Structure formats: structure tokens, C-alpha cells
Amino acid sequence: MRASDRAYAALRQDIVDWRLPPGTVLGEVEQSARLGVSRTPLREALSRLTADGLAAPHSGRGVVVTGISLDTVAELFELRQALECKSAALAAVRGQAPVFRSLALRFRDAGELIGSGGTDADRGGYYELVAELDAAIDAAAANSYLTQALGNVRLHLARVRRLAKDNPERLLETAGEHATIAAAVATGDPDLAGASVSVHLHKSLEHLRSARIATPEITTPEIRTIP
């Protein structure tokens, strides 16, 4: 892996995991030393983060990690609505029903596990199952442009999920909603598949709003380095 790729992957994960929270200035000198790379590959990594929307130019000191607010989360969900509903509709038409029937059953089991007070490892497995459903829908939809667009949306969604933290009751609800999505795709009905995704997204956004999870946009960044 090239040095710029390593730096990009490390910085992106730190941002998603909130080790580099919104408002953190990613100065070239500090980050080069922290990651053990020279300034040139670091600049390439910072440019990619900016293109992803995870960072933005900051006067005098490299770039700054972008903030998350209720407004930006709402905009993210507007885009998810368009992309994910279309992807599920295509998957219903083009996908293999047994794949999604199996996923629906697994989500029903995952919901029971979460509801009984699963461990952090259990919940990690649940998010892997969510990623598996996403991948199955992407593969069935068979639209590379749609998959690419969804990849960027999911990157930002990961930041929101980390900020939200695990809520067993809501995770139990989402397990049921994902089971419904998988079952709807399996029916081969594109309207039903799209509607099931729409309901899930609506409930997820309302949960974020009611819990007031999203933080205000940070307008005065401070340098934060990680040991």
C-alpha cells in the first residue's frame, strides 16, 4: 500500500471513530509526524478526505475535520432516501430471492440477540450483518454508479452511528426494519422494497432528532493530536 493510501485510511478511520472529532485541524507537520509519512503523501491523503467531505480547507494549517449538525444529517438522509430506495427497488427486480429470504431470517435472530442485552461484540456482528445486506442489495442492483454514490453516503453515516452510540431498543427496531427490507426485496416487488427502505429511513432520522445526537457545527477548530 502506498504511503498516501495508508495515511488516508488511517485518517479516515480516526475521523469515523471520532478519535479526530469535528473541528480538529489536520496540520501537515503534526499529522506527518503522527502517521510516520512525509508531507507529500499526507497532502494527497488530505485532498482525498476533502473530496469525501470529511475535511475542509482551513486557513494556514492544512484542513479541518468537518462538523455534523442536525441540518447536515437531514441532508444526508435526503440523499439516502433517493439512492437507497432506488437501489432496493432494482435489487427486487434483479436479485435472487433466496439470498434475501436468508438475510431476513438472520435479522430476526439478530433482533432477539440485541433485545436480550448483547455485548459490544454482538453489536459489532449486527453492524456486519447490516453491511452484508447493503452489499447484497448493491450486488443485486448491479449499478456501479449507484453503488459508488452510496459508498460515500455510508462513510458519512458511519460517523453519525458512532456518535449515536448503541441504543438496544432502537437496534431491536432496526433489526426488524432490516428484516422487512430483505423480505420485501425477496418478493420481487420494487415498490414494496423501496417503501420498506423509506419507512426505515424515516424512523432512523426521527430517532436521531429526538435523541438530539448530532452535534452543532464547530466553527472554532482546535488542534488535537493522537498519541
Side-chain angles (χ1 to χ4, degrees), residues 80-90 92 177-178 180-185 187 189-203:
R80 287 187 73 194
Q81 180 81 18
L83 298 177
E84 293 191 11
C85 288
K86 182 62 176 179
S87 187
L90 290 174
E177 291 161 17
H178 282 109
T180 298
I181 291 169
V185 173
T187 68
D189 185 334
D191 293 332
L192 181 61
S196 66
V197 172
S198 183
V199 169
H200 166 62
L201 296 181
H202 172 75
K203 290 183 177 180

Side-chain angles (χ1 to χ4, degrees), residues 195-217:
S196 66
V197 172
S198 183
V199 169
H200 166 62
L201 296 181
H202 172 75
K203 290 183 177 180
S204 295
L205 180 57
E206 287 306 304
H207 169 69
L208 291 171
R209 284 172 169 161
S210 64
R212 300 191 63 80
I213 292 168
T215 61
E217 190 78 29

Side-chain angles (χ1 to χ4, degrees), residues 3-122:
S4 62
D5 293 334
R6 292 198 307 272
Y8 169 74
L11 288 168
R12 184 179 66 177
Q13 196 62 51
D14 284 343
I15 291 171
V16 168
D17 290 342
W18 287 77
R19 289 188 291 271
L20 293 173
T24 301
V25 174
L26 304 178
E28 291 184 5
V29 174
E30 294 86 357
Q31 297 303 321
S32 291
R34 182 173 77 89
L35 299 173
V37 298
S38 65
R39 302 273 291 274
T40 297
L42 180 69
R43 290 191 190 105
E44 293 179 12
L46 295 178
S47 294
R48 291 174 64 183
L49 292 171
T50 301
D52 288 339
L54 295 176
H58 177 67
S59 178
R61 294 297 298 270
V63 301
V64 61
V65 177
T66 53
I68 296 177
S69 69
L70 284 173
D71 287 340
T72 57
V73 169
E75 291 175 0
L76 176 64
F77 272 73
E78 288 175 353
L79 183 56
R80 287 187 73 194
Q81 180 81 18
L83 298 177
E84 293 191 11
C85 288
K86 182 62 176 179
S87 187
L90 290 174
V93 174
R94 301 171 179 173
Q96 299 295 317
V99 172
F100 293 98
R101 290 195 193 103
S102 175
L103 284 165
L105 291 173
R106 291 169 64 194
F107 270 108
R108 293 186 183 109
D109 291 340
E112 293 175 1
L113 177 62
I114 294 166
S116 64
T119 65
D120 290 341
D122 294 329

